[in-house]
Amino acid sequence: MRAGWLRWLDNKTGRLVRGQTSDQQEKAERTVLEQELKGLTTEKEHKLSINTAHSCRAGPCEAPLHTLREAFNAGRTRPAEFRTAQLQGLGRFLKDNKQLLQDALAKDVGKSAFESDMSEIILCQNEVDLALKNLQTWMKDESVSTNFLTKFSSAFIRKEPFGLVLIIAPWNYPLNLMIMPLVGAIAAGNCVVLKPSEMSKNTEKVLAELLPQYLDQSCFAVVLGGPEETGQLLKHKFDYIFFTGSPRVGKIVMAAAAKHLTPITLELGGKNPCYVDDSCDPQTVANRVAWFRYFNAGQTCVAPDYVLCSQEMQERLVPALQNAITRFYGDNPQTSPNLGRIINQKHFERLQGLLGCGRVAIGGQSDEGERYIAPTVLVDVQETEPVMQEEIFGPILPLVTVRSLDEAVNFINQREKPLALYAFSNNSQVVTQMLERTSSGSFGGNDGFLYLTLPALPLGGVGNSGMGRYHGKFSFDTFSHQRACLLRSPGMEKLNDLRYPPYGTWDQQLISWAMGSQSCTLL
C-alpha cells in the first residue's frame, strides 16, 4: 500500500528508504512534505506534487476507479471491523499531522491556529470520534411494524452502502469540507474518491500525499486537478456524488450526475440575511456579527452576507461594529495574526470591485501583494448594486435599511432561499416570526454559526442553496441506501388464500381490514 509513496520519496530525497523502520519512514516522509510546503510557491512545483495521487487528464482515472469498484463489489468495505479501522486511521491522520495541516491552512488563506483548530481540525476529530462510538448502532437493521398480511414476517430497513462515492470539496474550508463527509461515507461502508480543491494547494498537497497512508488504498483514492480534470472525472459513473461549492458549479455537477441517474448532495451557498431588531443592544450584536462575518476573512458559506436593520439601528450599529473590529484585530487589522487572507488574485480583484458599492463606513483598505481586504462595512447600499447580487465571500458587510420586520421578511422571501438566516432581537416573538415566516437551510437566533459545532444538527441547504444534509448520523444516512426488507416463512401457504383469485365480496372486505394499520394490533 505504501510502495508508490516510497518510490516517490526515494526520488525526492535521492536515497533509499525501504530499509528504514515504519517510524523512520513516516518521519522522513513528513520532513520531505514540510520542505515541500515551505517551497510550494510556483505552479511548476505544485504540478510535481500530483505524482503521488491520481490525475484525470486524458482519462487515467479509469484504472483507480476500476480498482475501487472491484474492492466494493468484493465486499471489502462492508464489515464493521473494516469501517472501524479506516475511521481510526483517519483519526490518526488528523492527530499525527496537526501542525502540517495548520501550516497548510495558514499558507492557503492565512488561517490562525485558533481558526484552524475550531473550524477544521477539532470538528473533524469530533466527527470521527462520534462515528466510532455509534457505528454499531447506526449499522443495525431497523425493525418496522407489520399488518395482518405480514404478521408472521420480519420487516426491517437495512442500511446499505451506495458503492463508489465521489466527494468534491471547495477551497475555503479544505480540510473540514473534505473530511466531514468522508467520515459518513466510510461509516456507511462506501469506497470513496476524494477531489480536493486545487485552489487551496497547500492543503491539497497534504491530503494527497499523507492521507492515503492512513487508509486502505484499494478502497480510497485522492484525485487532483482543476476544472478540466473534474469535468473528466464527472463523466464516469458513481453511485453517489457529494459536492460543496457554488450554485453555478452545482448545476454542472447535477447535470453530470443526471446522465447516470446518480443521487447527489449539493452543499451550496447564497446570500445569507441577518436581521437586527431595534430592541437589540448594538454592541452585543456587533461583537457576534463581526466575529462570524470576518472569521476566515469572510470566506464562509454560512456567514451573514448582509444586515437588514432600521436607519436608527444602523446609526447605532456602525460605531459598535468599528469598536468590535478594533478590539478583535487592532487599529491596523492588516498586522493582526487573527485575520485571514483572500484565497487568490481572482477573488481579491472581485472583492475590490465590490468595495465601490454604496459608501464605505468602516475599512475599505486593500493590499494586492498580501491579498488583504480590510474588515469592511458598507452603508447606503442599493439592492441593485453588485454587492447585493452575488454571494460576497469576503470580509465585506453591507447594511441595508428596512422600516419593519414585515419589510425585512418580504425582502428575504423575494430572493432565493439562503443556506443560513440570522435574526437578532431582545423580543423572542420577533425571532420566532422570522423563523416561521422564512425558509433557509439553517437558522440562528441571536448568534451565528455555532450550530455547526453540534453533530445532532444537520447542515444542508434548501432550494438554490442546495439539497441533502450531513453531519453526525445525518452523514451516515446520506451515504446509506435505506433498503426495505421483508423476510417471510416458506410455509403457512394457507394464510395466503385470501389474496389469490378468484375474488369475492368477502375477500375484498377482509383484505381491506388485513391491510389496515390497526390490524396488526388485533392479535
Side-chain angles (χ1 to χ4, degrees), residues 316-386:
R316 298 163 61 201
L317 193 57
V318 168
L321 284 166
Q322 178 65 79
N323 181 60
I325 291 169
T326 302
R327 187 155 61 91
F328 294 170
Y329 307 112
D331 293 326
N332 182 8
Q334 187 170 358
T335 63
S336 172
N338 300 309
L339 186 66
R341 294 297 185 263
I342 306 307
I343 182 67
N344 59 24
Q345 185 68 21
K346 177 183 176 181
H347 282 278
F348 174 82
E349 292 175 358
R350 179 184 61 82
L351 290 168
Q352 264 195 324
L354 297 182
L355 292 173
C357 299
R359 175 173 62 85
V360 174
I362 300 172
Q365 302 85 2
S366 62
D367 184 332
E368 184 175 355
E370 290 190 17
R371 303 193 311 276
Y372 164 77
I373 301 284
T376 297
V377 175
L378 302 177
V379 296
D380 301 335
V381 175
Q382 303 301 311
E383 60 180 284
T384 56
E385 293 186 273

Side-chain angles (χ1 to χ4, degrees), residues 139-215:
M139 290 178 63
K140 285 182 179 178
D141 291 341
E142 181 182 336
S143 297
V144 299
S145 59
T146 57
N147 54 25
F148 182 81
L149 282 178
T150 57
K151 186 61 182 174
F152 300 105
S153 304
S154 173
F156 58 93
I157 300 170
R158 170 70 53 87
K159 288 69 173 285
E160 292 190 338
F162 278 105
L164 182 56
V165 168
L166 172 62
I167 298 175
I168 304 175
W171 52 263
N172 58 325
Y173 289 87
L175 181 69
N176 179 319
L177 299 177
M178 177 64 77
I179 301 299
M180 295 285 274
L182 175 59
V183 171
I186 291 174
N190 297 279
C191 287
V192 185
V193 174
L194 301 168
K195 172 57 184 71
S197 172
E198 75 284 359
M199 293 171 65
S200 48
K201 60 185 180 181
N202 294 282
T203 307
E204 177 197 44
K205 187 175 180 66
V206 176
L207 290 169
E209 296 178 1
L210 289 183
L211 181 57
Q213 299 179 60
Y214 294 84
L215 300 174

Side-chain angles (χ1 to χ4, degrees), residues 14 27 102 110 116 135 157 217 238 283 321 328 344 361 368 397 421 448-449 496 514:
K27 183 178 180 181
Q102 287 178 340
S116 293
L135 183 61
I157 300 170
Q217 292 184 33
F238 291 91
Q283 193 59 61
L321 284 166
F328 294 170
N344 59 24
E368 184 175 355
L397 182 64
L421 192 156
F449 45 63
N496 295 326

